[in-house]
Structure formats: C-alpha cells, structure tokens
Amino acid sequence: CMHSVLSCVIALVYVEPLSNTDAIKFFVANPASMGTPALSIGFACFYTLVAAGIWVVGTSGIYNATAYFVLLAVIVGFTIGETIDKAGFCPEAGRTKKSHEWQWTTEHWDDTSKWPWFAHGVHKDEKAKRIYRRMGLAIEARMAEEAKSASDKGSGRENATTKNVEINVVPRVD
C-alpha cells in the first residue's frame, strides 16, 4: 500500500512541473511510470481484500467467508467490466463502436431516437438538448481546428492561431 501511494506521489511531483513536451520525454524515458501506480493500487486493494477474507474465515467461520468471497468476486467482476468499458473509448470518429458514444452529439443531436442509452433519460428536456448540442458544436469546432492545423503542418504553413485553441463548453444557465 505504501508503494502505491509513494509511486503516485513521486510521479506527480516529478511530472507536474514539466511542460507538455518534457512530460512526454519523461514518459518515453520511464514507460512504466504511468502504469506502476495503478497496478500498485490494484495489488494493494487485492492484498487487503484477501487479508480481510482470511480474517473473516478465522473469526466468523467458513460460511461467512464463502459469502464474503462470492460478494468479492461479484465486485471484482463489475470493476473489471467497468475498466474494459472505459478502456474501449475511442476519440476517432467512426473507428470503433465506442466512438459512437460521443459522436452522436455531432450527428443526431436533434433526433432523440438515435441518442445512446445513457442519454434517453433526458431526451425530452430542452435544456439538456441545448447542452448536448453545444458539446457537439465544440467537438466539431475542435476537430475542424485539428484538421486545419494538420493540413497547415503538412503544407509547411503553420498558423500561430491554431496551436492552442480552447473551447468553452460550459452550459449557459437560462
């Protein structure tokens, strides 16, 4: 447990003051520094849960320990499923099935029947529609800027205004 906390702190202390370019250099030179804290935290949690299970066996008996381990298996299963779901995110349009979870705001924002399952609860709310539309417009604007920047770089002309574009997607309160 101490190793996981210290590896997180060390990574933050060394990487936080670096510029973006220097941070990339740091991660190229230390590729395990990104996964080590997460892996260490996972192992620390696993060891703690196994120790708790052994304690339940010793103090409450095998029946309670069996219930504990079954519940533990269910929780671990849900955690693995959540990890796989989040790891499948794809920021490139149309490349994977997961890219459609964000891409609908740029294509089908007005047709609520094509909204993904997680947005159906608010499909009748006009304020939610405006917020989703503004997010879609921000995504489209950023993608257009990135495409223009890439074409400018490819042609040898780089426009200074396309280097750092920040889009404000904070919804208006009506």
Side-chain angles (χ1 to χ4, degrees), residues 9-10 22 61 86 111 113 164:
V9 169
I10 289 169
D22 292 341
K86 298 302 179 243
D111 185 3
S113 67
N164 292 316

Side-chain angles (χ1 to χ4, degrees), residues 92-111:
E92 294 181 28
R95 185 167 178 198
T96 66
K97 182 181 173 190
K98 294 291 282 183
S99 67
H100 297 290
E101 288 184 357
W102 64 264
Q103 196 173 354
W104 64 275
T105 58
T106 63
E107 298 173 349
H108 308 294
W109 69 273
D110 55 343
D111 185 3

Side-chain angles (χ1 to χ4, degrees), residues 57-77:
V57 168
T59 58
S60 301
I62 194 72
Y63 294 116
N64 287 338
T66 302
Y68 170 82
F69 283 114
V70 167
L71 182 61
L72 178 63
V74 169
I75 291 170
V76 167

